[in-house]
Amino acid sequence: HVQLVESGGGSVQAGGPLKLSCSLSEYDVTINCMGWFRQAPGKEREGVAATYTGGGRTYYADSVKDRFSISRDNAKRTVYLQMNSLKPEDTAMYTCAADELVRPPIWTAPTEYRYWGHGTQVTVS
């Protein structure tokens, strides 16, 4: 049973940093990609960043490029999202997702991910 557990959300002032973590509980599944999505009230779910285990490729949404950084600790089966220079428009529920096969050209598509966490709220004021 695969579980993703996020942590690190909270409230922060504009311009400040916040770091999210997502831990994968299952050891018998080979994940090729872990990503972060966010959804603000009244808006569609948006792919924020993704990291691939093979080759270490990372991808970012244009809206967060140069401000957010995704990284992972394979030994801890944990992926991180370092968010800097936060803006009020970054306010959303941030959710971690993972799958054994996420096709890079469409990493932002929620349908590519089988496993999802419950999310952690980020509020920027």
Side-chain angles (χ1 to χ4, degrees), residues 47-75:
V48 175
T51 177
Y52 282 79
T53 53
R57 289 168 294 171
T58 57
Y59 297 88
Y60 297 93
D62 288 341
S63 58
V64 305
K65 202 173 294 184
D66 300 326
R67 298 189 298 122
F68 290 12
S69 177
I70 190 170
S71 61
R72 67 182 188 275
D73 183 329
N74 290 331

Side-chain angles (χ1 to χ4, degrees), residues 32 37 52 98-104 106-116:
N32 93 318
F37 286 76
Y52 282 79
D99 197 274
E100 297 95 333
L101 182 62
V102 177
R103 294 166 288 180
I106 52 174
W107 68 268
T108 57
T111 52
E112 288 289 296
Y113 299 81
R114 180 182 309 184
Y115 311 111
W116 291 84

Side-chain angles (χ1 to χ4, degrees), residues 4 6 22-23 34-37 79 94-98 115-119:
L4 297 171
E6 303 99 334
C22 173
S23 297
M34 294 183 72
W36 285 96
F37 286 76
V79 66
Y94 284 71
T95 308
C96 179
Y115 311 111
W116 291 84
H118 292 295

Side-chain angles (χ1 to χ4, degrees), residues 33 46 97:
C33 178
E46 173 190 21

